[in-house]
Amino acid sequence: MLNIKKLIAASVLIFGINGILVAHADAPQGGTVPGSVDDPVITKSYFDQNIANKIADELAKQTFNEEKIRQIIASELAKTGSAPSSGTGDSTQPAVSNSGLTVIKLEQGQLLFGGAGAEIIVRTGKAVAFSSTADGIADVTAGKDITAGTSVELNHLLIVPREGRGIKPDPKSNQDIYVMVRGNYLLTNADGSKVTP
């Protein structure tokens, strides 16, 4: 009987010490207790009255309204000069500035010069590339360079890297040629006279 009492006393003592150790391990370690002065807990009503209103005020200061966006767009369009420029009569200088796509019917004998960065897409007919240098026009659809005299594929996006390059109708074809152009371009007749758009 004495051994059972010792065993019970030892078990109670071990469980007691274990309980104290576990309780101490769960205690906050830096001295801050949630809800204390050092770490306050706020209520929903306090948040609604103070912090939510401050956040809403800051967001109202930073957002754009529709009228402000229209003003920004209008000022940027005015800076880029979206109106047609006068041109110099030089066949390598683009005469028309264009920010949208323009559809052009290319007649036999005409030359379409693209300005630097102009985008050209031949929609119908047969056209060939030309260049005032040995370099060509970038065909970004095919991922290759089109040199002077090379036929242009339909519906391929061409980007003119420098002025003095463009496309002309294939002299062997009599099909109507329609082209979409974005950017600066100059359309001339075979005699070098400028075609008015």
Side-chain angles (χ1 to χ4, degrees):
M1 202 57 168
L2 188 60
N3 281 340
I4 293 178
K5 286 184 182 182
K6 284 184 183 180
L7 185 58
I8 292 175
S11 297
V12 169
L13 184 62
I14 290 174
F15 283 119
I17 292 173
N18 192 21
I20 292 171
L21 290 176
V22 169
H24 181 60
D26 287 341
Q29 296 296 324
T32 60
V33 177
S36 69
V37 175
D38 296 329
D39 187 17
V41 176
I42 64 170
T43 62
K44 182 181 178 320
S45 61
Y46 176 82
F47 178 81
D48 290 343
Q49 291 171 359
N50 297 311
I51 298 172
N53 291 337
K54 289 179 184 178
I55 292 172
D57 291 342
E58 287 299 317
L59 287 175
K61 291 178 190 176
Q62 296 176 2
T63 58
F64 289 104
N65 60 20
E66 189 175 342
E67 183 60 34
K68 192 170 185 179
I69 292 172
R70 285 185 183 159
Q71 290 173 353
I72 291 170
I73 291 171
S75 67
E76 288 299 316
L77 287 175
K79 287 180 191 176
T80 60
S82 60
S85 61
S86 61
T88 60
D90 181 7
S91 65
T92 62
Q93 287 289 25
V96 177
S97 175
N98 181 9
S99 60
L101 285 170
T102 301
V103 177
I104 298 171
K105 183 175 181 183
L106 195 58
E107 304 286 341
Q108 280 295 334
Q110 291 181 333
L111 299 173
L112 177 62
F113 288 90
E119 299 174 6
I120 301 172
I121 301 173
V122 178
R123 296 286 291 152
T124 62
K126 293 187 179 185
V128 294
F130 70 86
S131 177
S132 58
T133 65
D135 298 321
I137 300 172
D139 181 346
V140 296
T141 305
K144 63 181 182 177
D145 199 40
I146 300 176
T147 56
T150 305
S151 182
V152 177
E153 296 288 329
L154 294 179
N155 299 314
H156 279 221
L157 176 61
L158 309 177
I159 298 180
V160 180
R162 292 197 174 126
E163 295 174 349
R165 303 172 192 183
I167 62 170
K168 62 182 180 180
D170 187 345
K172 300 173 190 168
S173 175
N174 59 359
Q175 296 176 338
D176 288 340
I177 301 171
Y178 284 94
V179 179
M180 294 189 319
V181 181
R182 181 187 322 223
N184 298 332
Y185 68 91
L186 174 67
L187 186 60
T188 63
N189 288 316
D191 61 359
S193 62
K194 180 177 149 185
V195 176
T196 56

